[in-house]
Amino acid sequence: LELLVDMFGQYHDLIWARMASFPYWPAQVMDPASPGVPRSVLKEKKPGTVLVRFFGEDPPSYNWLGMNNIRPFKEYYDEYSRASKSVAFLKGLEEMREILGDEFPVKKEFSSQRASQKAVKRKRADYSDSESSETS
């Protein structure tokens, strides 16, 4: 287990994790000794897997996953962040945003779209100002 965690990262790293028939989901690599991990989950440990906690669910769900079902969160954000529109998935993304704060990745098209909207508002404001000064 320690070797797998070393290969992937550290306990508590934020990731995308995938179980069969589900899209990649916001999750976290967990230390099996962490408080709150159900004993029933600890008994399900399989060789070559790491413990994962899925975000967006209440109560949290846990599972043991192999490295082929885990991806780093930030690097794969653009690819997986629109995998689902379910309430739980969106709640999971919001939980990630709370943890990461300013480090939370923002989609490039989203930030450029917001910049475009601001530019349009500035042009409208400039136009309104010039129109009001002409009528005075």
Side-chain angles (χ1 to χ4, degrees):
L1 176 64
E2 294 299 325
L3 177 61
L4 285 174
V5 172
D6 287 344
M7 284 174 25
F8 177 75
Q10 299 297 316
Y11 288 132
H12 308 292
D13 274 356
L14 301 178
I15 57 170
W16 293 101
R18 182 167 187 235
M19 292 179 48
S21 77
F22 286 94
Y24 277 93
W25 202 271
Q28 185 174 34
V29 176
M30 297 299 295
D31 182 342
S34 297
V37 177
R39 287 184 187 197
S40 60
V41 171
L42 296 175
K43 292 177 184 177
E44 296 172 6
K45 166 86 173 95
K46 298 173 191 94
T49 61
V50 293
L51 181 61
V52 169
R53 174 190 180 262
F54 292 94
F55 287 103
E57 301 177 337
D58 191 22
S61 65
Y62 298 83
N63 210 321
W64 296 91
L65 298 176
M67 299 311 291
N68 57 330
N69 291 317
I70 294 173
R71 302 286 183 271
F73 182 73
K74 289 180 184 177
E75 288 87 341
Y76 285 83
Y77 179 81
D78 286 342
E79 187 172 343
Y80 297 137
S81 63
R82 293 186 180 190
S84 174
K85 293 188 185 293
S86 77
V87 172
F89 183 87
L90 297 175
K91 182 180 175 197
L93 282 178
E94 188 56 38
E95 290 176 26
M96 292 285 225
R97 186 182 325 267
E98 290 171 12
I99 292 169
L100 289 172
D102 291 340
E103 293 181 37
F104 190 80
V106 176
K107 288 190 157 300
K108 291 175 187 157
E109 68 267 16
F110 178 75
S111 56
S112 63
Q113 181 182 29
R114 288 188 62 143
S116 297
Q117 289 170 346
K118 287 180 182 178
V120 167
K121 285 180 183 177
R122 275 195 306 272
K123 285 180 184 178
R124 285 182 185 156
D126 291 346
Y127 180 75
S128 296
D129 289 346
S130 66
E131 217 177 44
S132 62
S133 64
E134 288 175 10
T135 57
S136 317

